[in-house]
Amino acid sequence: MPETFHSPQQVKVFILYLLEKIGYPLDYNDLATIVIRDGYVDYFDFVTYFHELLEAGHISRVARDEEEEGGREVPVDRDSYLVTDTGRMIAKGLSDDLLLATVREKSYISAMRHLSLEKRGAVVKHDIEQVGDGSYIFHCSINDCDGLAFNLAIRADSYMQVSRMRMNFEDKPDVVYRGIVALVTGNVNYLLEK
């Protein structure tokens, strides 16, 4: 188990970093789960420092029915929280100094594992292209609130193979996405985790 953060500053920057990196409002339960998930912050520290950040104006509350998406209101089940401009500056300015790169990367991947593509407002697309030699190209992409998150084109030797690719991507695009990210970042242990 990883060692927990010892200083209040590390915990606060960690909370701000994850909320800023995710890029959209999260409800309290999701934020708490994401912050304590990997064991760097315990629950009591999260509660204490989250409320200090809220009182200091580094995090703000977005009440129900106030969230906007693409210029229109989106109803939410409960209050959500987002990082303010001041909190964003703190996260960007201090996360490199107070948080190890491996901690930042692992925690962000873990957060994405918790948040579904649907919850992140992602748009998933795919299509099949037949090429002249009898093979097929499977194209798939994911766009989220930050723009293009994933874009892949891969050749299949038969229609049966490309159909399986399409079926698996349609069924679990988040697993495909996380698997590719895990492979290219060298974090292949993800593939063995459930």
Side-chain angles (χ1 to χ4, degrees):
M1 178 152 164
E3 193 172 317
T4 58
F5 293 131
H6 296 290
S7 76
Q9 291 79 14
Q10 280 181 306
V11 175
K12 289 177 183 180
V13 168
F14 186 65
I15 293 169
L16 292 173
Y17 169 78
L18 285 175
L19 195 52
E20 190 272 330
K21 183 80 172 155
I22 289 164
Y24 60 89
L26 293 176
D27 69 46
Y28 184 83
N29 292 333
D30 280 336
L31 182 58
T33 300
I34 287 166
V35 170
I36 64 175
R37 181 179 188 112
D38 293 319
Y40 298 112
V41 176
D42 67 40
Y43 181 73
F44 296 108
D45 282 344
F46 169 75
V47 170
T48 301
Y49 299 125
F50 171 81
H51 289 289
E52 286 183 16
L53 289 166
L54 193 59
E55 288 173 10
H58 303 309
I59 293 175
S60 65
R61 183 177 66 83
V62 179
R64 281 178 233 187
D65 298 328
E66 289 182 10
E67 288 187 35
E68 289 188 24
E69 180 180 284
R72 62 181 175 84
E73 273 191 12
V74 177
V76 291
D77 295 335
R78 55 188 105 142
D79 291 345
S80 299
Y81 299 89
L82 55 80
V83 66
T84 64
D85 290 339
T86 304
R88 189 172 291 108
M89 286 179 11
I90 292 169
K92 288 181 177 179
L94 295 177
S95 62
D96 287 346
D97 295 336
L98 294 178
L99 307 174
L100 294 172
T102 55
V103 169
R104 292 191 314 265
E105 182 179 317
K106 179 181 178 187
S107 298
Y108 180 66
I109 290 169
S110 184
M112 292 299 96
R113 213 177 276 148
H114 174 76
L115 298 170
S116 68
L117 290 174
E118 180 182 333
K119 192 173 227 177
R120 292 178 4 223
V123 176
V124 177
K125 294 181 181 179
H126 62 80
D127 66 13
I128 296 172
E129 172 190 356
Q130 186 171 7
V131 291
D133 64 356
S135 61
Y136 299 85
I137 304 292
F138 178 63
H139 299 273
C140 55
S141 65
I142 299 171
N143 286 288
D144 62 17
C145 59
D146 292 327
L148 181 65
F150 175 79
N151 188 14
L152 176 71
I154 188 167
R155 191 184 82 215
D157 295 325
S158 68
Y159 186 75
M160 185 193 299
Q161 186 180 36
V162 80
S163 295
R164 279 196 312 260
M165 290 177 184
R166 184 191 68 227
M167 234 175 7
N168 288 327
F169 187 73
E170 282 177 349
D171 189 38
K172 295 182 180 166
D174 54 330
V175 173
V176 172
Y177 170 68
R178 291 190 317 251
I180 296 293
V181 170
L183 287 169
V184 297
T185 60
N187 185 16
V188 293
N189 290 338
Y190 158 74
L191 295 174
L192 305 174
E193 296 174 5
K194 295 220 177 202

